[in-house]
Amino acid sequence: MGGMSAEREISLMSGSGVLQALKSRGVDAYAFDPAERDLGELKKEGFDRCFIALHGRFGEDGTVQGALELLGIPYTGSGVMASSMAIDKVMTKRVLLAEGLPTPKYVLLRRGAYSVADVDAVPTTLGLPLIVKPAREGSSIGLTKVVDASGMAAAVEQAAKLDADILCEQFISGDEVTCPVLGSGPDAKALPVIRIVAPEGNYDYQNKYFTDTTQYIVPCGLPAGEEAVIQDMVVKAYRTLNCRGWARADVMIDRTTRKPYLLEINTSPGMTGHSLVPMSARAAGLSYEDLCIELLKTAALDYKQEGAA
């Protein structure tokens, strides 16, 4: 928990919740903050497995997963490649599109390599409003909804402070939903879809974690058949990226056509009091504590080492 990303504060909240849950079920569990301690201490102190409650860079992007592979310590969540692909929203889009899975149109700008004309051309390509965000941040950090072309430059500049790759994305107007997945490979199953109704449609960092004005509706109340279509699509995306253990996919449903579009897949979802995976699990009859224990059971390595138990 903790770590060095822009989402450190949320990770500490997630980790505290998970730690308390594991301890309440008799697990010999301890907090470990890689921003403050060397990962090698995990091996020296003989830990059997790691529950990853890190979010963002150096925790959700394959780096800590790779370190744990080298240490031979099984960990929760996706492996090195799935983690590194899923955190990169542009790479995720490329993989989804290659597999015929729907995702909003986009334009990629690279810091230091785009011109004023490139920025000005984006609204023509994608239409307005549109979304600008860093390619590898979570929790809506650095995200701007651009409603007028005059706001493009500032939005791109803000995202460029956080990432070398700036994702400009078509805005899908309609229902915002999220769908968690538990399990691996053929055993992966979607949990209930949650419909998110944020104040003025603004589901930003503040409204995600620090206010109680956002509504989370589960059962989602979507028209008949839509939830099943979204769950099927999300599981396909999860398997396509070779995710394992758990993840959560964010989806927008076009208000007019009712077509769902995949936005991104989070391979280390939040576990705070406002988080959505525990909420969906609870709707499926799985308590927060049971969810943590089930996830801990899935801890694994991409590559089992010679002589490992």
Side-chain angles (χ1 to χ4, degrees):
M1 59 196 278
M4 298 176 285
S5 81
E7 297 175 79
R8 174 179 171 80
E9 182 181 13
I10 307 306
S11 173
L12 290 169
M13 292 162 61
S14 288
S16 296
V18 171
L19 182 63
Q20 187 178 343
L22 295 179
K23 283 184 169 181
S24 77
R25 291 298 170 89
V27 177
D28 188 20
Y30 300 84
F32 191 98
D33 186 345
E36 297 175 353
R37 300 176 66 185
D38 185 273
L39 282 172
E41 291 181 33
L42 291 168
K43 187 78 170 177
K44 288 176 191 166
E45 295 182 19
F47 285 104
D48 295 319
R49 55 184 63 198
C50 291
F51 191 118
I52 296 179
L54 296 165
H55 306 316
R57 290 181 221 199
F58 310 114
E60 197 173 350
D61 61 357
T63 51
V64 79
Q65 289 79 7
L68 293 172
E69 290 283 340
L70 291 169
L71 292 170
I73 303 173
Y75 53 91
T76 57
S78 291
V80 177
M81 182 176 286
S83 299
S84 62
M85 282 199 299
I87 197 152
D88 188 320
K89 297 176 181 68
V90 175
M91 188 58 68
T92 298
K93 281 178 169 291
R94 287 171 177 156
V95 174
L96 295 177
L97 289 168
E99 293 296 315
L101 291 163
T103 184
K105 292 188 295 183
Y106 73 99
V107 171
L108 171 62
L109 300 175
R110 295 191 187 277
R111 185 169 60 204
Y114 61 80
S115 65
V116 173
D118 292 333
V119 174
D120 289 345
V122 172
T124 305
T125 304
L126 300 179
L128 287 168
L130 61 86
I131 300 293
V132 176
K133 54 190 172 184
R136 289 172 287 262
E137 287 290 354
S139 298
S140 300
I141 292 170
L143 181 148
T144 306
K145 181 180 177 181
V146 178
V147 296
D148 187 276
S150 62
M152 273 300 300
V156 170
E157 186 179 334
Q158 179 178 321
K161 288 176 184 174
L162 296 166
D163 201 308
D165 289 344
I166 301 111
L167 172 62
C168 306
E169 187 176 56
Q170 172 193 12
F171 178 73
I172 306 296
S173 178
D175 290 321
E176 183 169 2
V177 300
T178 195
C179 180
V181 180
L182 300 182
S184 302
D187 297 323
K189 289 185 174 57
L191 290 176
V193 170
I194 298 175
R195 186 158 53 94
I196 301 161
V197 183
E200 299 176 3
N202 188 22
Y203 191 45
D204 59 9
Y205 184 83
Q206 191 68 21
N207 285 329
K208 279 183 178 179
Y209 300 109
F210 300 106
T211 68
D212 292 312
T213 50
T214 299
Q215 292 179 282
Y216 302 103
I217 302 167
V218 55
C220 61
L222 292 172
E226 278 193 14
E227 180 171 24
V229 167
I230 289 166
Q231 288 174 315
D232 182 60
M233 180 180 74
V234 164
V235 169
K236 282 180 183 171
Y238 181 91
R239 290 177 179 151
T240 293
L241 288 170
N242 201 27
C243 297
R244 63 171 159 88
W246 67 319
R248 198 195 76 239
D250 296 332
V251 176
M252 288 298 300
I253 306 168
D254 187 283
R255 180 177 283 113
T256 306
T257 65
R258 303 306 298 172
K259 179 179 176 177
Y261 291 85
L262 286 153
L263 298 183
E264 62 179 282
I265 294 181
N266 301 284
T267 55
S268 184
M271 290 291 281
T272 73
H274 282 72
S275 291
L276 304 176
V277 175
M279 195 181 299
S280 176
R282 197 159 53 243
L286 195 64
S287 70
Y288 185 98
E289 292 78 11
D290 287 340
L291 173 64
C292 290
I293 292 294
E294 288 305 309
L295 292 172
L296 190 62
K297 288 178 184 175
T298 69
L301 291 164
D302 280 343
Y303 302 104
K304 193 169 182 179
Q305 297 183 0
E306 293 286 329

Short mmCIF file of all heavy atoms in Angstrom, two decimals, residues 148-198:
data_model
loop_
_atom_site.label_atom_id
_atom_site.label_comp_id
_atom_site.label_asym_id
_atom_site.label_seq_id
_atom_site.Cartn_x
_atom_site.Cartn_y
_atom_site.Cartn_z
N ASP A 148 -15.22 23.47 -25.30
CA ASP A 148 -15.01 24.50 -26.32
C ASP A 148 -13.56 24.39 -26.81
O ASP A 148 -12.65 24.16 -26.01
CB ASP A 148 -15.26 25.89 -25.71
CG ASP A 148 -15.21 26.99 -26.76
OD1 ASP A 148 -14.09 27.44 -27.05
OD2 ASP A 148 -16.28 27.37 -27.27
N ALA A 149 -13.35 24.56 -28.09
CA ALA A 149 -12.01 24.40 -28.68
C ALA A 149 -10.98 25.30 -28.00
O ALA A 149 -9.79 24.97 -27.95
CB ALA A 149 -12.06 24.69 -30.17
N SER A 150 -11.42 26.40 -27.44
CA SER A 150 -10.49 27.33 -26.79
C SER A 150 -9.86 26.73 -25.54
O SER A 150 -8.84 27.22 -25.04
CB SER A 150 -11.20 28.64 -26.42
OG SER A 150 -12.25 28.37 -25.49
N GLY A 151 -10.47 25.67 -25.03
CA GLY A 151 -9.94 25.04 -23.82
C GLY A 151 -8.95 23.92 -24.10
O GLY A 151 -8.39 23.33 -23.16
N MET A 152 -8.69 23.62 -25.37
CA MET A 152 -7.83 22.49 -25.72
C MET A 152 -6.39 22.65 -25.21
O MET A 152 -5.83 21.74 -24.61
CB MET A 152 -7.80 22.30 -27.24
CG MET A 152 -8.90 21.42 -27.80
SD MET A 152 -8.92 19.73 -27.15
CE MET A 152 -7.31 19.11 -27.65
N ALA A 153 -5.80 23.79 -25.46
CA ALA A 153 -4.38 23.99 -25.13
C ALA A 153 -4.12 23.78 -23.64
O ALA A 153 -3.17 23.09 -23.26
CB ALA A 153 -3.93 25.37 -25.56
N ALA A 154 -4.97 24.36 -22.80
CA ALA A 154 -4.79 24.24 -21.34
C ALA A 154 -4.97 22.79 -20.90
O ALA A 154 -4.25 22.30 -20.03
CB ALA A 154 -5.77 25.15 -20.62
N ALA A 155 -5.94 22.09 -21.49
CA ALA A 155 -6.20 20.70 -21.13
C ALA A 155 -5.02 19.80 -21.48
O ALA A 155 -4.60 18.95 -20.70
CB ALA A 155 -7.46 20.20 -21.83
N VAL A 156 -4.47 20.02 -22.67
CA VAL A 156 -3.31 19.23 -23.11
C VAL A 156 -2.11 19.53 -22.24
O VAL A 156 -1.36 18.63 -21.83
CB VAL A 156 -3.01 19.51 -24.61
CG1 VAL A 156 -1.67 18.91 -25.01
CG2 VAL A 156 -4.14 18.97 -25.48
N GLU A 157 -1.92 20.80 -21.91
CA GLU A 157 -0.78 21.21 -21.07
C GLU A 157 -0.88 20.55 -19.69
O GLU A 157 0.12 20.07 -19.14
CB GLU A 157 -0.78 22.73 -20.93
CG GLU A 157 0.44 23.27 -20.19
CD GLU A 157 0.43 24.79 -20.10
OE1 GLU A 157 -0.19 25.45 -20.97
OE2 GLU A 157 1.02 25.31 -19.15
N GLN A 158 -2.08 20.50 -19.13
CA GLN A 158 -2.27 19.88 -17.81
C GLN A 158 -1.94 18.39 -17.85
O GLN A 158 -1.24 17.87 -16.98
CB GLN A 158 -3.71 20.07 -17.33
CG GLN A 158 -3.98 19.42 -15.97
CD GLN A 158 -5.40 19.66 -15.48
OE1 GLN A 158 -5.95 20.73 -15.65
NE2 GLN A 158 -5.99 18.64 -14.87
N ALA A 159 -2.43 17.69 -18.87
CA ALA A 159 -2.17 16.26 -18.99
C ALA A 159 -0.69 15.99 -19.24
O ALA A 159 -0.12 15.02 -18.72
CB ALA A 159 -3.01 15.66 -20.13
N ALA A 160 -0.04 16.88 -20.01
CA ALA A 160 1.38 16.70 -20.35
C ALA A 160 2.28 16.83 -19.13
O ALA A 160 3.40 16.31 -19.13
CB ALA A 160 1.79 17.70 -21.42
N LYS A 161 1.80 17.49 -18.08
CA LYS A 161 2.59 17.59 -16.85
C LYS A 161 2.70 16.24 -16.15
O LYS A 161 3.62 16.00 -15.36
CB LYS A 161 1.95 18.61 -15.89
CG LYS A 161 2.09 20.05 -16.33
CD LYS A 161 1.33 20.96 -15.38
CE LYS A 161 1.38 22.42 -15.86
NZ LYS A 161 0.53 23.29 -15.03
N LEU A 162 1.76 15.35 -16.45
CA LEU A 162 1.69 14.07 -15.75
C LEU A 162 2.15 12.89 -16.59
O LEU A 162 2.44 11.82 -16.05
CB LEU A 162 0.25 13.82 -15.27
CG LEU A 162 -0.28 14.81 -14.24
CD1 LEU A 162 -1.79 14.70 -14.10
CD2 LEU A 162 0.39 14.56 -12.89
N ASP A 163 2.19 13.06 -17.91
CA ASP A 163 2.55 11.94 -18.77
C ASP A 163 3.07 12.45 -20.12
O ASP A 163 2.61 13.48 -20.60
CB ASP A 163 1.32 11.05 -19.01
CG ASP A 163 1.68 9.64 -19.43
OD1 ASP A 163 2.46 9.48 -20.39
OD2 ASP A 163 1.18 8.69 -18.81
N ALA A 164 3.99 11.70 -20.70
CA ALA A 164 4.51 12.06 -22.02
C ALA A 164 3.50 11.79 -23.12
O ALA A 164 3.56 12.38 -24.20
CB ALA A 164 5.80 11.30 -22.30
N ASP A 165 2.55 10.88 -22.84
CA ASP A 165 1.49 10.55 -23.81
C ASP A 165 0.18 11.16 -23.34
O ASP A 165 -0.28 10.90 -22.22
CB ASP A 165 1.33 9.04 -23.96
CG ASP A 165 2.51 8.40 -24.68
OD1 ASP A 165 3.28 9.14 -25.31
OD2 ASP A 165 2.64 7.17 -24.61
N ILE A 166 -0.43 11.96 -24.21
CA ILE A 166 -1.70 12.64 -23.88
C ILE A 166 -2.79 12.03 -24.75
O ILE A 166 -2.71 12.04 -25.98
CB ILE A 166 -1.60 14.16 -24.14
CG1 ILE A 166 -0.47 14.75 -23.28
CG2 ILE A 166 -2.92 14.84 -23.84
CD1 ILE A 166 0.70 15.22 -24.07
N LEU A 167 -3.79 11.49 -24.09
CA LEU A 167 -4.91 10.84 -24.78
C LEU A 167 -6.06 11.82 -24.93
O LEU A 167 -6.59 12.33 -23.93
CB LEU A 167 -5.36 9.60 -24.00
CG LEU A 167 -6.63 8.89 -24.48
CD1 LEU A 167 -6.46 8.37 -25.89
CD2 LEU A 167 -7.00 7.76 -23.53
N CYS A 168 -6.44 12.10 -26.17
CA CYS A 168 -7.62 12.91 -26.47
C CYS A 168 -8.69 11.92 -26.95
O CYS A 168 -8.44 11.17 -27.90
CB CYS A 168 -7.33 13.95 -27.54
SG CYS A 168 -5.92 15.01 -27.16
N GLU A 169 -9.85 11.93 -26.32
CA GLU A 169 -10.82 10.87 -26.54
C GLU A 169 -12.21 11.42 -26.83
O GLU A 169 -12.65 12.40 -26.20
CB GLU A 169 -10.86 9.98 -25.29
CG GLU A 169 -11.69 8.73 -25.39
CD GLU A 169 -11.57 7.89 -24.12
OE1 GLU A 169 -11.85 8.42 -23.02
OE2 GLU A 169 -11.18 6.72 -24.23
N GLN A 170 -12.88 10.80 -27.77
CA GLN A 170 -14.27 11.13 -28.08
C GLN A 170 -15.11 11.03 -26.81
O GLN A 170 -14.97 10.09 -26.02
CB GLN A 170 -14.78 10.11 -29.12
CG GLN A 170 -16.27 10.18 -29.42
CD GLN A 170 -16.72 8.95 -30.22
OE1 GLN A 170 -15.99 7.97 -30.34
NE2 GLN A 170 -17.91 9.01 -30.76
N PHE A 171 -15.96 12.00 -26.57
CA PHE A 171 -16.84 11.97 -25.40
C PHE A 171 -18.13 11.24 -25.75
O PHE A 171 -18.80 11.59 -26.73
CB PHE A 171 -17.16 13.39 -24.93
CG PHE A 171 -18.10 13.44 -23.76
CD1 PHE A 171 -17.66 13.08 -22.49
CD2 PHE A 171 -19.43 13.82 -23.92
CE1 PHE A 171 -18.52 13.12 -21.40
CE2 PHE A 171 -20.30 13.85 -22.84
CZ PHE A 171 -19.84 13.51 -21.57
N ILE A 172 -18.43 10.22 -24.98
CA ILE A 172 -19.69 9.47 -25.16
C ILE A 172 -20.68 9.99 -24.14
O ILE A 172 -20.46 9.87 -22.92
CB ILE A 172 -19.47 7.95 -24.96
CG1 ILE A 172 -18.35 7.43 -25.87
CG2 ILE A 172 -20.78 7.19 -25.22
CD1 ILE A 172 -18.61 7.53 -27.35
N SER A 173 -21.77 10.57 -24.61
CA SER A 173 -22.79 11.11 -23.72
C SER A 173 -23.82 10.03 -23.41
O SER A 173 -24.40 9.43 -24.32
CB SER A 173 -23.47 12.31 -24.38
OG SER A 173 -24.48 12.82 -23.54
N GLY A 174 -24.02 9.77 -22.14
CA GLY A 174 -25.00 8.75 -21.76
C GLY A 174 -24.72 8.19 -20.38
O GLY A 174 -24.11 8.85 -19.53
N ASP A 175 -25.13 6.95 -20.13
CA ASP A 175 -24.96 6.33 -18.83
C ASP A 175 -23.50 5.91 -18.61
O ASP A 175 -22.88 5.32 -19.49
CB ASP A 175 -25.85 5.08 -18.71
CG ASP A 175 -27.32 5.43 -18.61
OD1 ASP A 175 -27.64 6.43 -17.94
OD2 ASP A 175 -28.15 4.71 -19.20
N GLU A 176 -23.00 6.21 -17.43
CA GLU A 176 -21.66 5.77 -17.03
C GLU A 176 -21.80 4.59 -16.09
O GLU A 176 -22.52 4.66 -15.09
CB GLU A 176 -20.93 6.92 -16.33
CG GLU A 176 -19.51 6.59 -15.94
CD GLU A 176 -18.72 7.80 -15.47
OE1 GLU A 176 -19.29 8.91 -15.42
OE2 GLU A 176 -17.52 7.64 -15.18
N VAL A 177 -21.14 3.49 -16.42
CA VAL A 177 -21.25 2.28 -15.60
C VAL A 177 -19.86 1.68 -15.38
O VAL A 177 -18.91 2.01 -16.09
CB VAL A 177 -22.18 1.21 -16.22
CG1 VAL A 177 -23.59 1.75 -16.41
CG2 VAL A 177 -21.63 0.68 -17.54
N THR A 178 -19.77 0.81 -14.40
CA THR A 178 -18.54 0.08 -14.16
C THR A 178 -18.89 -1.36 -13.83
O THR A 178 -19.97 -1.63 -13.29
CB THR A 178 -17.71 0.74 -13.04
OG1 THR A 178 -16.38 0.24 -13.07
CG2 THR A 178 -18.32 0.50 -11.67
N CYS A 179 -17.99 -2.27 -14.18
CA CYS A 179 -18.27 -3.69 -13.99
C CYS A 179 -17.00 -4.42 -13.54
O CYS A 179 -16.02 -4.48 -14.30
CB CYS A 179 -18.80 -4.30 -15.29
SG CYS A 179 -19.18 -6.06 -15.16
N PRO A 180 -16.98 -4.96 -12.33
CA PRO A 180 -15.82 -5.73 -11.88
C PRO A 180 -15.84 -7.16 -12.43
O PRO A 180 -16.90 -7.69 -12.78
CB PRO A 180 -15.98 -5.76 -10.35
CG PRO A 180 -17.07 -4.78 -10.03
CD PRO A 180 -17.94 -4.74 -11.24
N VAL A 181 -14.67 -7.76 -12.48
CA VAL A 181 -14.51 -9.16 -12.88
C VAL A 181 -13.64 -9.85 -11.84
O VAL A 181 -12.64 -9.29 -11.38
CB VAL A 181 -13.85 -9.29 -14.27
CG1 VAL A 181 -13.70 -10.76 -14.66
CG2 VAL A 181 -14.65 -8.54 -15.32
N LEU A 182 -14.02 -11.05 -11.45
CA LEU A 182 -13.22 -11.88 -10.55
C LEU A 182 -12.84 -13.16 -11.27
O LEU A 182 -13.61 -13.68 -12.09
CB LEU A 182 -14.00 -12.24 -9.28
CG LEU A 182 -14.50 -11.10 -8.38
CD1 LEU A 182 -15.19 -11.68 -7.16
CD2 LEU A 182 -13.36 -10.19 -7.96
N GLY A 183 -11.65 -13.70 -10.95
CA GLY A 183 -11.25 -14.98 -11.52
C GLY A 183 -10.22 -14.84 -12.63
O GLY A 183 -9.73 -13.76 -12.91
N SER A 184 -9.92 -15.96 -13.25
CA SER A 184 -8.91 -15.99 -14.31
C SER A 184 -9.33 -16.91 -15.44
O SER A 184 -10.03 -17.90 -15.22
CB SER A 184 -7.58 -16.49 -13.73
OG SER A 184 -7.15 -15.65 -12.68
N GLY A 185 -8.92 -16.55 -16.68
CA GLY A 185 -9.16 -17.39 -17.85
C GLY A 185 -10.62 -17.75 -18.02
O GLY A 185 -11.51 -16.90 -17.89
N PRO A 186 -10.90 -19.04 -18.26
CA PRO A 186 -12.28 -19.46 -18.48
C PRO A 186 -13.17 -19.32 -17.25
O PRO A 186 -14.39 -19.33 -17.35
CB PRO A 186 -12.15 -20.94 -18.90
CG PRO A 186 -10.81 -21.37 -18.38
CD PRO A 186 -9.95 -20.14 -18.42
N ASP A 187 -12.54 -19.18 -16.07
CA ASP A 187 -13.31 -19.06 -14.82
C ASP A 187 -13.65 -17.61 -14.48
O ASP A 187 -14.30 -17.35 -13.47
CB ASP A 187 -12.54 -19.69 -13.66
CG ASP A 187 -12.32 -21.18 -13.85
OD1 ASP A 187 -13.24 -21.84 -14.38
OD2 ASP A 187 -11.24 -21.67 -13.47
N ALA A 188 -13.19 -16.67 -15.29
CA ALA A 188 -13.46 -15.25 -15.01
C ALA A 188 -14.96 -14.96 -15.14
O ALA A 188 -15.60 -15.36 -16.10
CB ALA A 188 -12.67 -14.37 -15.98
N LYS A 189 -15.49 -14.27 -14.13
CA LYS A 189 -16.93 -13.95 -14.13
C LYS A 189 -17.14 -12.49 -13.74
O LYS A 189 -16.45 -11.96 -12.87
CB LYS A 189 -17.67 -14.85 -13.13
CG LYS A 189 -17.76 -16.30 -13.58
CD LYS A 189 -18.61 -17.12 -12.62
CE LYS A 189 -18.84 -18.54 -13.14
NZ LYS A 189 -17.60 -19.27 -13.41
N ALA A 190 -18.11 -11.87 -14.39
CA ALA A 190 -18.44 -10.48 -14.09
C ALA A 190 -19.34 -10.41 -12.87
O ALA A 190 -20.23 -11.24 -12.68
CB ALA A 190 -19.13 -9.84 -15.28
N LEU A 191 -19.12 -9.40 -12.04
CA LEU A 191 -20.01 -9.08 -10.93
C LEU A 191 -21.09 -8.12 -11.44
O LEU A 191 -21.04 -7.67 -12.58
CB LEU A 191 -19.20 -8.44 -9.80
CG LEU A 191 -18.23 -9.35 -9.03
CD1 LEU A 191 -17.43 -8.54 -8.01
CD2 LEU A 191 -18.97 -10.48 -8.33
N PRO A 192 -22.07 -7.79 -10.60
CA PRO A 192 -23.12 -6.86 -11.05
C PRO A 192 -22.59 -5.50 -11.52
O PRO A 192 -21.63 -4.98 -10.96
CB PRO A 192 -23.99 -6.69 -9.79
CG PRO A 192 -23.79 -7.95 -9.03
CD PRO A 192 -22.36 -8.34 -9.26
N VAL A 193 -23.20 -4.98 -12.56
CA VAL A 193 -22.86 -3.66 -13.10
C VAL A 193 -23.38 -2.58 -12.15
O VAL A 193 -24.48 -2.69 -11.61
CB VAL A 193 -23.47 -3.47 -14.50
CG1 VAL A 193 -23.35 -2.02 -14.98
CG2 VAL A 193 -22.81 -4.43 -15.49
N ILE A 194 -22.57 -1.54 -11.95
CA ILE A 194 -22.98 -0.38 -11.15
C ILE A 194 -23.15 0.82 -12.07
O ILE A 194 -22.27 1.11 -12.87
CB ILE A 194 -21.94 -0.04 -10.07
CG1 ILE A 194 -21.76 -1.20 -9.09
CG2 ILE A 194 -22.34 1.23 -9.32
CD1 ILE A 194 -20.65 -0.98 -8.07
N ARG A 195 -24.29 1.50 -11.94
CA ARG A 195 -24.50 2.73 -12.70
C ARG A 195 -24.11 3.91 -11.81
O ARG A 195 -24.50 3.97 -10.64
CB ARG A 195 -25.96 2.85 -13.15
CG ARG A 195 -26.23 4.03 -14.07
CD ARG A 195 -27.50 3.80 -14.91
NE ARG A 195 -28.65 3.46 -14.10
CZ ARG A 195 -29.56 4.33 -13.65
NH1 ARG A 195 -29.43 5.62 -13.93
NH2 ARG A 195 -30.58 3.93 -12.93
N ILE A 196 -23.32 4.84 -12.38
CA ILE A 196 -22.78 5.96 -11.62
C ILE A 196 -23.48 7.25 -12.05
O ILE A 196 -23.48 7.59 -13.23
CB ILE A 196 -21.26 6.09 -11.85
CG1 ILE A 196 -20.55 4.79 -11.43
CG2 ILE A 196 -20.69 7.30 -11.12
CD1 ILE A 196 -19.16 4.64 -12.03
N VAL A 197 -24.06 7.93 -11.09
CA VAL A 197 -24.71 9.21 -11.38
C VAL A 197 -24.01 10.27 -10.54
O VAL A 197 -24.25 10.41 -9.34
CB VAL A 197 -26.22 9.16 -11.07
CG1 VAL A 197 -26.87 10.50 -11.45
CG2 VAL A 197 -26.89 8.01 -11.81
N ALA A 198 -23.10 11.01 -11.19
CA ALA A 198 -22.30 12.02 -10.49
C ALA A 198 -22.94 13.40 -10.63
O ALA A 198 -23.69 13.65 -11.58
CB ALA A 198 -20.89 12.04 -11.05
#
